[in-house]
Amino acid sequence: MHIKVKERSSNLDDEGFDFKKLILSKINRKLTLLFIIVSLIAPILGIYYFYIITSSTLSKALLNDLDVLFQTAAIAIIVLIAVDAGIIGYLVSRSITKPIKQLYMAAKEVEKGNYDIRVNINTNDEIAELGNALNRTTAALGKMQNEKREIDRAKTEFLSITSHELRTPMTPMKAQLQMLEEGYFGKLNKDQKESLSIIIRNADRLDKIVVDFLEISRIEAARLKFEFTRIDLRTTLKDTVKFMEGFAKEKNIELILKSDKLPIIEADPDRISQVLRNLISNAIKFSNDTSKIEIYAKAKDDHILFSVKDYGSGMTNDDQIRVFEPFYQVDNSLRRKYGGTGLGLTICRGIVEAQKGKIWVDSQLGAGSTFYFTVPLVPVRKIEPIKVLFSQRSIIENKIQDEFKAVLGPLGVGEFNELKNQNSLNKDDLFGYIDSLTKNFILDNDYGLYFKNKIGEIFGEKRGSINNEKDILIQNNRKKVIG
Amino acid sequence: MKTVLVVDDDEDIRESVGMILKINGYRVITAVDADDCLDKLSLETPDLILLDIMMPGRPVSDIIKQVTNIKIVFMSIVRENDAKNKGLCDQSNVVDFLQKPFDLNDLVARVEMLLNEDH
């Protein structure tokens, strides 16, 4: 398995890696010094004895003449041997560190996700065995990565083809239904009309699901289209709200639009309107009659923040995490009552995240929900695929676990699992837990705030909204954590 | 009586669209693919072509290249932008785009409008 190693020395600088350290690593220095010291002991002793012997046998006058010569020769011998020993020491140590350097660079590449890397170590020792083991591991990882890509591609393609195939029969079906409904084939009685309207309604629903499926397949395959234009998004907001007022009227709900002055940015107004329509129609769905919905927009740092606030039924903490998952329904009876495909918020997430924005919800059961999303001031033209079909909950749980490990060390995993078992992996419970840590002096206040900030970010809060400027403190305070 | 050529590989769509147009007083001929369409066009000249843009066999662009004097309306499951991106909508006789599944009243209204424009 000796495939030639691909050394990427240029990458070393990117990683902030100290190349000097490798040329003269600690091992190099130690071994070189050892060689010099060991190789100098014998000549120094030799010269010393030679000097004693000669000084006792030769006459004083001759000795005085030879003294300078002796000294010069002795120094020359010692220096030459020291240099020799240094060079040999360095070369010997190099032969040891070179394969280590290879292994190190290969491990760095694997860390970055480059599984094509192979090392070529022919030293026929344990390090060579280690190299071969690494080669086998990266080969296995590479194979797994390829399989994963293949599955991903097949899934997206299947979704896309199926959606098109499912849509095709909808056209003649809906056409015939419409002709029936409009009496082209004779007048219908009340029951027939009722029956037909149920069929039509569900055909429409089916079609909407298929359309949403197509949109999801575009999001997952990075084929979502954006058409950017320089625009004052307040116009988009006004138009969207006006459009949605028709639906709000059915429940006598008032839509209130508040917007600060927004900078003119390059954005796709249709996509932003699509997200807003989805959020507003959700808000209408979960609001009581004669309630109100507030739509708000403001420019903040490098983005514009939109929010849609309702005073409806609100959500549990678990719902808040999972609400962006496909087909997740907070209340199934509502879907039956108001329709909806269960994919609306998933698509919103896909659209927002394709533009490197964030989308999240803040909610209290019984008090209402506020959905937030951000649109960066600079549009993203190179769209990347976004995995919206994965469970949002497991993604969030993994992030929380990582944060626990980072802040609390090995202790964090146990704490995390305990909180998970107590069903407490939601923002409020986690904040409560962090408060108890600071109260019991397990974390100091600054570090507690830092922890809260990190957890808040996972739940979609803007970085630093809980407390700012504390990030720097983490390095200093890390040691204060009692483990 | 105005004649409309409906080109779609899906029989049920041809029949449904044909039905509603006949009821609304048009003469309807149909074709199942691009070859069939060009055959039909060699026999007679309709006033309007309703053309599906995704059909097996010869590409639709072949039809568009040869037909420059008859108004064409696209019918497609893909979105108008996708068709535009493929350069199918550049020709001046390509006058409209019907997104499938379409509303029949919308279809009839558009056909009516396009055929009355000349007078």
Side-chain angles (χ1 to χ4, degrees), chain A residues 264-277:
Chain A
I264 308 284
I265 63 164
E266 255 189 280
D268 184 338
D270 289 343
R271 289 293 183 196
I272 291 166
S273 177
Q274 189 183 353
V275 175
L276 279 168
R277 283 198 307 272

Side-chain angles (χ1 to χ4, degrees), chain A residues 196-215:
Chain A
L196 199 58
S197 80
I198 292 174
I199 299 172
I200 290 173
R201 198 163 61 233
N202 281 282
D204 285 342
R205 201 172 121 193
L206 193 61
D207 191 42
K208 263 190 217 150
I209 293 177
V210 176
V211 170
D212 281 359
F213 261 142
L214 270 171
E215 196 81 324

Side-chain angles (χ1 to χ4, degrees), chain A residues 164 167-176 178-179 182 184-185 207 214-215 218 225 227 271, chain B residues 10 12-13 15-16 19-20 23-24 54 77-79 81-82 85 99-105 108:
Chain A
H164 273 118
R167 263 208 111 180
T168 307
M170 292 306 296
T171 310
M173 211 166 107
K174 283 178 83 171
Q176 292 297 333
Q178 208 185 340
M179 281 194 271
E182 292 183 5
Y184 279 103
F185 311 130
D207 191 42
L214 270 171
E215 196 81 324
R218 285 190 199 105
K225 295 271 186 327
E227 282 176 30
R271 289 293 183 196
Chain B
D10 189 314
D12 289 344
I13 292 178
E15 199 169 323
S16 297
M19 227 181 228
I20 190 80
I23 290 169
N24 280 280
M54 283 208 305
I77 206 89
V78 302
R79 290 180 303 183
N81 271 340
D82 296 335
N85 290 342
Q99 170 83 61
K100 285 180 188 173
F102 35 72
D103 181 87
L104 284 183
N105 295 331
V108 171

